[in-house]
Amino acid sequence: MIENQGRRYPLRERRAPRRFPDEEHVLLTDEGEPETFEEAKEDTHNRKWLSAMQDEMDSLHENHTYELTELPKGKRALRNKWVYKLKPGDAGNPPRYKARIVVKGFQQKKGVDFDEIFAPVVKMTSIRMVLSIAASMDLDFEQLDVKTAFLQGDLKEKIYM
């Protein structure tokens, strides 16, 4: 213990942080999915990742999600990143490689890039009601994944990225 020298509490002994050898580190991954564009380019399945990225860009283009333009004065471009997901195949089908381009929303400023936050969610009572109607009328029920559902919202602000 270090001498008190008139302090109310004694000073703690300072020590260098404990270092762990490399073999003691644990790496947690998400099924081997790349974290960055550079990792996707270097991955052994890079052609599949690049194809998934092209599919995403084609989908955004077909849905008129964006237009190329010059950045106006006084506006700032938000940064973006690619998010990669490997969807396991079922019943002998090969896995699907998915890529999404997302804006880094934490850079947005209220009143500049957005005015309100809206995230639609379904209530469990609504799901139960639809399922009970389908069951009582002996209807078939199918799950639907809408990959461009976010396009149904109307933005009043212009977002540059």
Side-chain angles (χ1 to χ4, degrees):
M1 176 126 10
I2 299 174
E3 217 177 291
N4 199 359
Q5 296 179 352
R7 291 185 174 85
R8 188 172 171 186
Y9 298 101
L11 293 174
R12 66 178 177 88
E13 185 178 333
R14 295 177 188 243
R15 288 180 256 156
R18 185 175 161 213
R19 303 284 182 217
F20 295 98
D22 288 340
E23 62 271 5
E24 291 184 24
H25 287 248
V26 176
L27 177 63
L28 301 176
T29 64
D30 297 323
E31 310 292 327
E33 297 152 351
E35 292 288 323
T36 64
F37 174 72
E38 287 75 21
E39 284 182 27
K41 284 193 319 187
E42 301 298 321
D43 192 85
T44 55
H45 302 286
N46 61 359
R47 288 181 190 250
K48 293 179 181 177
W49 290 121
L50 292 173
S51 175
M53 293 164 59
Q54 187 61 52
D55 289 346
E56 170 76 350
M57 292 306 295
D58 291 344
S59 176
L60 293 173
H61 182 72
E62 288 168 15
N63 288 294
H64 307 287
T65 307
Y66 69 93
E67 62 184 62
L68 292 176
T69 184
E70 291 289 324
L71 185 64
K73 281 194 173 195
K75 295 290 185 178
R76 62 190 181 96
L78 298 174
R79 297 184 64 173
N80 57 64
K81 71 176 266 179
W82 284 99
V83 177
Y84 303 96
K85 187 70 180 162
L86 188 60
K87 302 278 187 164
D90 55 305
N93 292 326
R96 293 180 302 154
Y97 292 78
K98 306 288 247 173
R100 297 283 174 260
I101 190 162
V102 297
V103 69
K104 295 180 177 181
F106 58 85
Q107 296 174 328
Q108 292 178 294
K109 293 186 177 163
K110 187 169 183 164
V112 176
D113 301 314
F114 71 95
D115 288 321
E116 64 179 323
I117 298 172
F118 179 71
V121 293
V122 178
K123 292 183 180 180
M124 285 306 295
T125 53
S126 301
I127 293 173
R128 288 187 193 106
M129 183 184 72
V130 170
L131 290 174
S132 66
I133 291 170
S136 67
M137 299 178 73
D138 197 29
L139 298 173
D140 290 332
F141 204 81
E142 290 188 28
Q143 184 259 342
L144 175 67
D145 184 21
V146 181
K147 86 179 202 181
T148 56
F150 68 93
L151 295 176
Q152 306 309 314
D154 292 324
L155 284 180
K156 293 170 185 67
E157 305 86 2
K158 290 194 180 224
I159 305 294
Y160 297 95
M161 60 182 260

